[in-house]
Amino acid sequence: MLNGKTILLGVSGGIAAYKAAAICSKLKQAGADVRVIMTESATRFIAPLTFQTLSRHDVIVDTFDEKDASVVSHIDLADRADLVVVAPATANIIAKMAQGLADDMLSTTLLATTAPIFVAPAMNVHMYGHPAVQANMRTLADRGVRFIEPGTGQLACGYVGKGRLEEPEQIVAAIERFFADRKLLQGKKLLVTAGGTVERIDPVRYLTNDSSGKMGFAIAEAARSMGADVTLVVGKASAALPEGIRTVRIESAQDMLEAVVSRMPDTDILIKAAAVADYRPAEQAKQKIKKQDEEMTLKLVKNPDILQTIGSLKTHQYIVGFAAETERIDEHAIDKLKRKNCDLLVANDVTQEGAGFGTDTNVVRIYDNNGLVEALPVMSKLEVARNLLVHVAERIKKGDKAN
Ligand code: PMT
């Protein structure tokens, strides 16, 4: 599974450092070329010689210990890596990564690499739950760092709780899944809509909604990391646009309809995560509307339903709709899926904590024509995106087409 892959294993100084030996060994057994960097404090828990023997390479601890004069070690290792995994990751290395500090070999290499990074935290339960640690992890997650969550149980410090390094088998399985996922959507052209539409009342006023764009951006990023050729159609969004993804900016539902429909023939997968206004002002005033009477009535007219339109036009495309619901989730979701001729529909109950508009997380239920496919617990929008895209990829592979 990992043949030909170079994996950089960063070991920081916690008691779980001894488990990193098993990670190193399992990665090697799976065919990876494993390079190990240890922090000074990690060497207090386990000897570099253990990793040297398991990886069959020198282990680097000191930034200035340049063994090969023809290369600069931290740049060479950073460039060589197909993936970096920091396991165990202490609160200290997580903080350094979040702040961009480079005061030892591991933190310096982590700054220099452009490879994907996995972080497997391990620490005391209170340290793990500390707002500073949680904020640092959120910062890193926003930058695309993937976390392998610690388990819950008896900790070496005597406490029982969350903070135990995930088991080496699970860490290696996550890495294997990552490389397998990278090919899941290879050769597929995917278009995703994100953000809210803006329906102008006059030159300075408009109707919109609370969509931040995060859900759609997460889908775009996850799809790219699975090998898809991604186009993002974005309305109003408060979250930062993902870098390096082809992006089309639009304003109104009508603009979005045109942007999506015109690209349909050249698209294999369409995902509509945008929050589209159902109505727009019947008239758009050319000049700023002046304050007049005590009351004012704004007449609205129905917008085109983009999802329904593409559902009716679809040929080879695989179509995924979203639904923001507040009640009778299953019933409304299945009704939307059928009415709009989608292949999958993702419903979020936007009344739930950690779900829906503006949050970094979501809680979704995924449906197909036969009903519920999967109900996912609260997880980051990136994880929701990955789970959804795995379903899409598997169904396309099976030849599951539009109805
Ligand atoms: O952007 P975030 O802050 O991360 O928030 C994410 C989200 C809550 C916006 C997202 O997860 C979500 O649920 N998006 C769909 C919101 C929505 O418009 O739901 P709806 O039930 O009103 O519409 C159902 C589907 O029809 C959606 O795919 C929508 O894009 C589409 N639609 C709706 C109206 C319309 N005129 N045209 C459409 O295409």
Side-chain angles (χ1 to χ4, degrees), residues 195 210-215 272-278 303-307 321-325 336 340 348 350 356-358 362 381:
D210 284 334
S211 175
S212 62
K214 287 179 186 172
M215 190 64 246
K272 286 233 57 268
V276 183
D278 289 324
N303 262 333
D305 191 308
I306 306 166
L307 187 56
F322 266 72
E325 301 294 347
K336 272 183 191 160
K340 303 193 183 196
N348 27 206
V350 294
F357 293 88
N362 210 351
K381 283 184 173 165

Side-chain angles (χ1 to χ4, degrees), residues 108-250:
T108 307
T109 309
L110 282 162
L111 265 192
T113 193
T114 55
I117 301 175
F118 275 69
V119 166
M123 64 195 79
N124 162 272
V125 57
H126 299 313
M127 289 172 80
Y128 185 72
H130 194 285
V133 174
Q134 291 293 321
N136 287 335
M137 291 199 297
R138 273 199 301 280
T139 301
L140 293 175
D142 285 347
R143 285 186 207 145
V145 170
R146 294 163 167 81
F147 281 86
I148 302 174
E149 280 208 27
T152 300
Q154 180 77 44
L155 304 177
C157 56
Y159 278 94
V160 175
K162 191 165 182 174
R164 200 168 63 178
L165 182 71
E166 179 56 286
E167 292 307 322
E169 293 76 15
Q170 300 306 323
I171 293 176
V172 174
I175 292 170
E176 288 180 334
R177 252 194 326 273
F178 167 80
F179 283 109
D181 279 3
R182 283 221 294 198
K183 296 197 184 120
L184 274 180
L185 293 175
Q186 222 162 40
K188 297 287 175 225
K189 293 190 169 157
L190 182 146
L191 184 149
V192 54
T193 66
T197 59
V198 167
E199 310 297 338
R200 292 263 163 209
I201 299 168
D202 70 12
V204 295
R205 301 182 180 99
Y206 52 78
L207 300 175
T208 188
N209 57 64
D210 284 334
S211 175
S212 62
K214 287 179 186 172
M215 190 64 246
F217 296 173
I219 293 170
E221 288 194 5
R224 176 178 50 182
S225 69
M226 291 180 179
D229 176 354
V230 181
T231 302
L232 186 55
V233 176
V234 188
K236 188 171 186 295
S238 53
L241 283 170
E243 277 177 28
I245 289 182
R246 186 186 309 115
T247 300
V248 181
R249 294 308 304 256
I250 55 91

Side-chain angles (χ1 to χ4, degrees), residues 367-378:
Y367 304 82
D368 69 6
N369 246 303
N370 299 316
L372 184 66
V373 172
E374 193 176 10
L376 295 172
V378 61

